[in-house]
Amino acid sequence: MGKRLKIRICVGTNCYLVGGAGLLELEDALPSKVKDAVEIEGAACLGLCKDVSNGKPPFVIVGDKLIVEADMYKVIDEVMHQLGDNENDR
Amino acid sequence: MTNENRFIDIAFAQRIKHGESIPGDTFLSRKFSEEARIIAVLSDGLGSGIKASVLSTLTATMSLRFVQLNRDLKETAMTIASTLPICSVRKISYATFTIIDIAPDYRVNVVEYDNPGLIVLRENELQEIPMNKVKIDMPDRDEAYLRFYTYDLSMGDRIIVCSDGVVQSGLGRSSMPFGWGWKALVRFLSARIEENPEISALELAGELVKEALSNDEFVAKDDITCGVLHCRSPRRLLIATGPPFDESRDEYLARRIKEFCGKKIICGGTTANIVSNFFSSPLKVDLKSSDSSLPPVAYMDGVDLVTEGAVTLAKLMDCLDKYNLEDLWRICEDRNAVGMILHYILDSDVIEFIVGTRLNQAHFAPSQSVEIGVRRILVQKIQYLLEEKFLKDVSVEFV
């Protein structure tokens, strides 16, 4: 199996309070077929909330893509999209 | 000899006489931080239950106060004896006491009235402390004596004081017809310390009380109480929270953490990132340590624990405010940020906070509905609770 898709969830205060807490259950919410293709990790404050131009928290980074105002749907959507794209590339 | 390197760990353990609901023995201790003085008292009231409790509580409270005011001890003993309410059954008023007074220069003065003899262990050897016996005129007593001891406390010394419920435990059993006895009790303490030289005051007192209870075949025949004072070097904890006001101080913060002798905790993602960069050691977040109300913890080399800042500290403050020591030890078992920090806190004697004062722009977003107390106020409240409620030695440095 190739490199796993990395998902980084910001667990800084701001992200945690405005919805990031729920994102910590991402692993349970992912469709089982993609669970082995991703790697979920927490990040101690990505520092993105300090610049308004980055958008609003909570922040999640899927692969190289930043997701702002992240929720379960957006993240899973992006994961499926990136994994699907990769398959098309092959 | 530097005094700051000594710490007196004080604790007591107790078992109530079978069938009673409150103890007739009282152990009280107070640290007077402004004069660096420590006074501890154990009193055993006549009889058991509520009556004995009133007698011993009054005796312990009054003697602690009198000693603090440097009143003459003979006079104190007699004042207490003539103040105590008279037992309706025995027509006398009576409660024993042992008062231990540790001065800022570690000179120890002890006065004992009818309690089992004071035990002083130095390097786990029983010390013979010169004793001065003084006859006093107590109401309703033919012969009453106060025993005075004076000596200098050394690093590592343990002072153990117990009620007769400990010495006389097991009374009447064929193996100990006259009870456990003072000498056997000292041997037991020595054996425990031999096994675990670092045993805390609380654990040692607990073990002794447990053993006395087992001598009584788990039905305590009297109130069983043991107090332990242990002079040792303090266990230190550093909690760094928040980035320094000025970025040029980031290096100072990292160095303070690196050079600190003791356990180290960082509360706050930004702070952790700063230190992680300076240490060149990556942060590893443990997502499994999160629950619905607390962000997860993280680890990095050179630091014992990393947690999120504001939410975690607010919850910590709440716990320290709401719960007593016994509940907090239970909360410590939780595998979340507050449980882990609490464990380090309860295990430490001296706690230093380094509080960064850079404002976190993120916390002022108008969208934020949850009120986050400013870090500084949170830490000050935590400091107050740790000092007043849990007798910790706390300092706060703002950077």
Side-chain angles (χ1 to χ4, degrees):
Chain A
M1 193 172 188
K3 227 175 112 191
R4 295 212 240 176
L5 177 64
K6 198 180 247 187
I7 307 170
R8 302 181 72 199
I9 305 168
C10 180
V11 294
T13 308
N14 208 12
C15 288
Y16 183 85
L17 284 177
V18 297
L23 292 170
L24 297 174
E25 281 147 32
L26 177 66
E27 195 177 348
D28 299 332
L30 280 172
S32 49
K33 58 178 180 180
V34 299
K35 269 185 192 163
D36 290 336
V38 300
E39 185 187 342
I40 303 170
E41 67 176 42
C45 190
L46 293 166
L48 295 164
C49 52
K50 282 162 200 157
D51 186 350
V52 192
S53 67
N54 286 323
K56 286 185 187 166
F59 298 104
V60 174
I61 299 176
V62 179
D64 295 326
K65 177 137 192 241
L66 173 67
I67 301 175
V68 300
E69 293 180 70
D71 57 26
M72 224 51 125
Y73 292 108
K74 282 188 178 177
V75 175
I76 294 173
D77 230 29
E78 183 59 31
V79 169
M80 300 310 281
H81 178 71
Q82 288 198 27
L83 287 174
D85 278 357
N86 288 345
E87 264 163 34
N88 292 344
D89 287 346
R90 263 179 242 145
Chain B
M1 192 152 33
T2 54
N3 289 354
E4 305 94 70
N5 290 330
R6 292 202 213 177
F7 178 83
I8 315 279
D9 183 12
I10 308 178
F12 80 102
Q14 188 167 59
R15 216 40 202 252
I16 301 171
K17 181 181 175 179
H18 181 74
E20 296 289 356
S21 53
I22 62 165
D25 297 347
T26 300
F27 181 88
L28 285 182
S29 66
R30 272 191 72 183
K31 291 185 184 187
F32 300 94
S33 47
E34 59 277 6
E35 45 183 335
R37 184 181 185 183
I38 292 167
I39 303 173
V41 187
L42 172 68
S43 175
D44 177 355
L46 179 74
S48 62
I50 187 78
K51 199 161 56 186
S53 179
V54 169
L55 292 169
S56 66
T57 308
L58 278 169
T59 304
T61 316
M62 282 194 280
S63 52
L64 200 132
R65 188 80 184 125
F66 282 136
V67 170
Q68 190 212 344
L69 297 170
N70 302 315
R71 293 284 172 80
D72 178 70
L73 288 167
K74 268 168 80 177
E75 220 173 276
T76 299
M78 285 180 277
T79 310
I80 293 170
S82 51
T83 313
L84 293 180
I86 292 166
C87 170
S88 58
V89 181
R90 301 170 183 88
K91 305 292 178 206
I92 54 169
S93 62
Y94 175 72
T96 71
F97 59 79
T98 301
I99 307 166
I100 302 163
D101 180 9
I102 305 177
D105 61 356
Y106 295 97
R107 188 104 180 126
V108 183
N109 281 296
V110 179
V111 55
E112 199 174 81
Y113 176 53
D114 283 1
N115 263 345
L118 186 81
I119 299 163
V120 176
L121 296 172
R122 179 169 296 167
E123 285 166 10
N124 209 5
E125 292 284 325
L126 182 68
Q127 301 296 299
E128 280 213 21
I129 309 294
M131 185 247 290
N132 187 15
K133 203 166 149 184
V134 177
K135 194 169 189 304
I136 47 167
D137 296 319
M138 289 294 238
D140 313 310
R141 294 284 306 277
D142 291 339
E143 289 217 328
Y145 294 95
L146 288 180
R147 284 175 286 179
F148 290 87
Y149 309 79
T150 300
Y151 75 104
D152 289 309
L153 192 68
S154 287
M155 191 69 149
D157 281 8
R158 284 186 173 89
I159 303 174
I160 296 109
V161 56
C162 49
S163 64
D164 59 359
V166 178
V167 183
Q168 290 169 8
S169 63
L171 194 73
R173 279 176 65 186
S174 55
S175 58
M176 42 180 91
F178 303 107
W180 198 12
W182 192 83
K183 283 183 178 159
L185 179 165
V186 173
R187 277 198 300 275
F188 173 84
L189 289 168
S190 275
R192 284 291 89 80
I193 297 167
E194 185 82 43
E195 259 170 40
N196 176 9
E198 298 300 314
I199 190 165
S200 72
L202 185 66
E203 282 172 289
L204 189 62
E207 297 247 332
L208 189 75
V209 166
K210 241 195 287 174
E211 188 67 15
L213 188 67
S214 94
N215 291 339
D216 273 348
E217 291 165 320
F218 303 99
V219 179
K221 296 195 178 73
D222 192 358
D223 294 306
I224 297 173
T225 307
C226 168
V228 175
L229 289 85
H230 182 201
C231 177
R232 55 169 170 77
S233 35
R235 284 189 286 249
R236 294 175 186 276
L237 171 67
L238 178 75
I239 300 179
T241 177
F245 183 77
D246 194 340
E247 266 179 52
S248 63
R249 299 270 280 168
D250 286 2
E251 194 183 340
Y252 166 79
L253 175 69
R255 221 185 34 244
R256 278 279 274 121
I257 294 171
K258 191 164 197 156
E259 288 165 5
F260 183 79
C261 287
K263 301 284 181 198
K264 308 160 191 191
I265 300 177
I266 298 175
C267 299
T270 313
T271 323
N273 283 330
I274 291 171
V275 178
S276 159
N277 284 339
F278 271 99
F279 283 16
S280 308
S281 53
L283 278 162
K284 182 94 188 107
V285 177
D286 175 11
L287 287 176
K288 297 270 181 294
S289 63
S290 176
D291 63 26
S292 57
S293 64
L294 280 169
V297 304
Y299 298 97
M300 68 185 266
D301 287 345
V303 174
D304 296 281
L305 179 69
V306 176
T307 74
E308 175 276 345
V311 177
T312 308
L313 287 175
K315 189 82 185 280
L316 175 71
M317 190 203 77
D318 201 41
C319 283
L320 291 172
D321 190 27
K322 260 196 214 145
Y323 301 109
N324 62 25
L325 199 58
E326 211 172 297
D327 294 331
L328 290 178
W329 276 114
R330 259 196 303 277
I331 295 172
C332 276
E333 287 162 22
D334 294 348
R335 257 199 90 240
N336 63 29
V338 166
M340 289 183 214
I341 298 180
L342 261 177
H343 201 278
Y344 282 109
I345 284 180
L346 296 185
D347 238 3
S348 304
D349 313 310
V350 176
I351 301 163
E352 289 179 40
F353 283 91
I354 303 183
V355 183
T357 48
R358 192 184 309 166
L359 293 179
N360 190 343
Q361 290 307 322
H363 294 179
F364 294 93
S367 63
Q368 195 100 344
S369 57
V370 183
E371 185 212 340
I372 303 173
V374 180
R375 204 184 293 276
R376 197 196 306 221
I377 295 168
L378 275 175
V379 172
Q380 279 167 346
K381 277 192 176 169
I382 291 173
Q383 175 185 22
Y384 172 80
L385 288 166
L386 290 178
E387 284 179 336
E388 297 300 316
K389 198 168 160 189
F390 301 99
L391 306 177
K392 303 289 182 190
D393 198 338
V394 186
S395 65
V396 179
E397 176 189 353
F398 293 103
V399 289

